[in-house]
Amino acid sequence: MGAPYDPTDERTALAGGPHRPAYHFAPPTNWLNDPNGLIQFDGTYHLFYQHNPAEPVWGDIHWGHARSEDLLHWTDEPIALEPDSPNVDADGCFSGCAVDDDGVPTLVYTGIDDDRARQCLAIGDETFRRWEKPSVNPVVETPPPGVDRFDFRDPFVWREGDGWSMVVGAATESDSRVLLYRSSDLREWEYRGAVFVDDRPDVMWECPALVALGGRGRGRGGDQGRSQSRSWNQNRDQYLMLGSLLPTRAVRYYVGSYADERFEPRREGILDAGDFYAPQPFVDESGRIVLVGWVEEARAEPAQRAAGWSGLMALPRELSLDEDGRLRTAPVDEVRRLRELEYELPAVGPEDGTVFVDQPRSETIELVATVSETDTGTEPSTASLSVLRSPDGLEETVVRVDPDRGTVTVDRSRSSDDPAVETHEQTAHFEPTADPVTVRCFVDRSVVEVYADERACLTSRVYPTRADSTGIAISTDGASVDDGTVWELASVWDDFAPSPA
Ligand code: FRU
């Protein structure tokens, strides 16, 4: 562990591949799933992730690692955790988190061996490159009675009061639950009961997280542990609980109160209705809640093997509550720095038919447009934004917005000529509105990431096959697109571009 690691060649070899993202984080090579150990430490952001360094398919799970100063440009770091400890984690280092233990970076993760899950630590130093598994591992050896020995995973830890709290996802025969533990030193943990129970059988809450939402000012400084403990003291009624649920793979959120070691939900919803799973939130040094989630593939395994890589991370998002207590999700402000050439979009009304946009022709864009209902009284009232469109229109991905119904849909039925990719429609819901809805749509080669008024979001994978599937078209039905802008976005991976022939 910690050997010099320079995956520049791997990244360069994969750069420029038709579906390789230009401004989303993908692994240098091979497999990636859940984000882990998100933390900002002495100003630098760290992203760890579930990683198979040998193949672009799930298995032999390590923790990959990258660092960034701006949540956009990432530098690969040595692999942080290897599955190498018999009776602890020899079959995999599964998901977990990072905390700042009074200046000592500490990872908390699930070790898998012999189909048993145990909660473990790895202790780092200020380089974030050497991770030692202490002899006290595992720090939680067995689950409480009634909990499955394997479905007991994904610790999420925060500082609370004068100690540490941890939630762990768990399944019993009859329900799924989020277990709460307390510790004064991260090494000895006391089980305190289920903080939340989902009483449906055959459900498993993976990657649970509990984080204080409200009343948090910006720019107060402090580390993850400290800012979380401050909010815990102040805002017990504004907590966010997240879970990634098997078998449907829905990412649910609940806003509610956290008091007396119980979480009581008031509102719930789907965080992202697309190919999005296992997100992790963290509190950064400015006090904002930043969320990173895994964007899965929607192509078959042979295509992943042929590509040499699998999986990427959605854009980092900031989560907040609006004045009505509803959750808001927006890409972090830093994402605006990617904007390069800017183009105006024409206004398009129901009489205009399909309007083809001449410029830009690009597979890496941000498109912002405002959709309003018109007074025609027709049903439905939708605007369709077609991206990654070939000049003959045979390949295109259509983002359809319906303010009246409160839906945003990504129609992938014609996204790709490849018959072996998923094509089902994906839809996110928000409260229906007669007001204009502003849509931000990020296109990055094989990712279409859509935000509707920060109230709904949807991240979909698409795999255009034609080099000229780079166009934009707009049409409406009972709605109008009032104004809009498109930017070509910069690549964050320019250092890895293959040298021109
Ligand atoms: C979620 C998950 C976690 C587990 C990890 C294994 O995608 O199944 O529950 O820790 O992935 O890679």
Side-chain angles (χ1 to χ4, degrees):
M1 250 183 290
Y5 180 65
D6 182 9
T8 311
D9 292 347
E10 279 115 315
R11 278 210 184 272
T12 304
L14 294 177
H19 300 129
R20 187 83 169 157
Y23 59 88
H24 286 77
F25 181 86
T29 182
N30 292 315
W31 173 265
L32 166 152
N33 60 297
D34 313 355
N36 295 151
L38 297 167
I39 193 166
Q40 189 181 18
F41 193 95
D42 287 343
T44 299
Y45 291 100
H46 293 270
L47 162 68
F48 300 84
Y49 53 93
Q50 295 280 281
H51 183 42
N52 180 351
E55 287 185 295
V57 294
W58 188 87
D60 196 27
I61 290 294
H62 292 55
W63 275 37
H65 178 202
R67 73 169 68 207
S68 172
E69 302 305 319
D70 62 2
L71 291 167
L72 298 172
H73 298 81
W74 296 93
T75 307
D76 293 301
E77 288 291 316
I79 282 177
L81 298 179
E82 293 175 19
D84 57 7
S85 308
N87 299 319
V88 181
D89 66 11
D91 286 342
C93 298
F94 276 20
S95 285
C97 61
V99 289
D100 175 353
D101 183 13
D102 285 330
V104 181
T106 303
L107 309 179
V108 191
Y109 69 101
T110 298
I112 300 285
D113 194 29
D114 203 17
D115 281 339
R116 290 183 55 174
R118 303 168 173 93
Q119 314 318 322
C120 304
L121 299 184
I123 313 298
D125 61 17
E126 72 292 344
T127 68
F128 267 70
R129 288 192 170 153
R130 288 182 290 271
W131 298 96
E132 194 188 312
K133 297 177 184 173
S135 57
V136 65
N137 272 348
V139 292
V140 183
E141 163 85 47
T142 49
V147 169
D148 189 89
R149 286 185 154 182
F150 181 72
D151 286 340
F152 171 54
R153 58 179 178 272
D154 308 338
F156 181 83
V157 177
W158 67 99
R159 215 187 257 286
E160 179 174 329
D162 56 1
W164 297 97
S165 295
M166 167 169 80
V167 285
V168 181
T172 72
E173 292 246 304
S174 54
D175 60 32
S176 180
R177 33 189 68 198
V178 179
L179 310 179
L180 180 69
Y181 287 81
R182 291 276 300 157
S183 173
S184 60
D185 61 1
L186 297 170
R187 278 135 184 95
E188 270 186 50
W189 290 94
E190 183 189 358
Y191 176 54
R192 306 290 303 170
V195 69
F196 183 69
V197 177
D198 179 336
D199 54 16
R200 293 170 296 173
D202 304 321
V203 170
M204 167 64 190
W205 271 60
E206 297 190 300
C207 304
L210 184 60
V211 63
L213 270 170
R216 192 192 308 276
R218 291 270 185 101
R220 293 200 207 153
D223 61 54
Q224 176 166 22
R226 272 172 256 154
S227 44
Q228 286 200 358
S229 77
R230 197 164 39 226
S231 333
W232 168 77
N233 289 326
Q234 293 161 5
N235 304 296
R236 282 165 181 274
D237 59 339
Q238 293 194 331
Y239 267 76
L240 175 72
M241 171 83 90
L242 296 179
S244 293
L245 273 60
L246 292 179
T248 56
R249 298 183 87 73
V251 180
R252 296 208 74 85
Y253 73 81
Y254 296 80
V255 176
S257 58
Y258 170 54
D260 301 328
E261 304 188 338
R262 292 282 302 177
F263 176 77
E264 290 296 336
R266 281 193 305 275
R267 270 178 201 279
E268 62 178 274
I270 300 288
L271 203 59
D272 182 314
D275 300 308
F276 181 86
Y277 199 66
Q280 185 173 92
F282 73 107
V283 181
D284 81 358
E285 289 175 353
S286 71
R288 51 182 185 170
I289 300 180
V290 178
L291 180 97
V292 177
W294 168 37
V295 189
E296 304 183 56
E297 295 293 328
R299 54 182 166 177
E301 188 182 310
Q304 294 174 45
R305 287 192 184 274
W309 64 279
S310 175
L312 54 90
M313 297 302 175
L315 292 172
R317 300 169 182 181
E318 182 171 354
L319 302 182
S320 58
L321 281 189
D322 68 12
E323 25 341 311
D324 300 320
R326 284 181 305 217
L327 190 69
R328 296 267 159 178
T329 309
V332 294
D333 283 345
E334 287 88 331
V335 168
R336 293 175 198 271
R337 298 183 200 156
L338 296 172
R339 291 175 177 173
E340 293 191 321
L341 283 182
E342 177 179 329
Y343 304 83
E344 248 175 61
L345 285 178
V348 179
E351 314 300 316
D352 294 328
T354 299
V355 174
F356 303 100
V357 177
D358 295 335
Q359 293 286 344
R361 298 204 61 87
S362 169
E363 357 156 64
T364 56
I365 57 167
E366 177 187 352
L367 184 159
V368 179
T370 301
V371 178
S372 306
E373 260 188 272
T374 51
D375 283 334
T376 57
T378 54
E379 280 278 339
S381 59
T382 60
S384 296
L385 310 168
S386 160
V387 295
L388 295 172
R389 184 181 189 283
S390 61
D392 59 12
L394 292 177
E395 262 190 352
E396 62 174 348
T397 295
V398 181
V399 178
R400 220 166 36 238
V401 186
D402 186 336
D404 256 356
R405 290 207 186 114
T407 57
V408 53
T409 297
V410 175
D411 177 348
R412 303 185 291 181
S413 56
R414 294 195 299 157
S415 293
S416 175
D417 281 348
D418 179 349
V421 302
E422 285 170 30
T423 55
H424 64 269
E425 239 178 47
Q426 295 176 316
T427 297
H429 296 266
F430 51 91
E431 267 174 45
T433 176
D435 295 334
V437 171
T438 298
V439 183
R440 281 179 85 182
C441 175
F442 295 87
V443 176
D444 191 3
R445 302 213 167 105
S446 60
V447 196
V448 175
E449 187 167 343
V450 187
Y451 298 79
D453 265 352
E454 305 185 358
R455 289 185 288 160
C457 62
L458 186 58
T459 309
S460 301
R461 297 303 300 278
V462 292
Y463 304 92
T465 61
R466 303 166 183 219
D468 58 0
S469 289
T470 54
I472 299 171
I474 303 175
S475 62
T476 64
D477 188 356
S480 61
V481 176
D482 302 332
D483 52 45
T485 309
V486 184
W487 289 268
E488 287 179 32
L489 297 193
S491 169
V492 301
W493 301 109
D494 278 344
D495 293 350
F496 300 97
S499 40

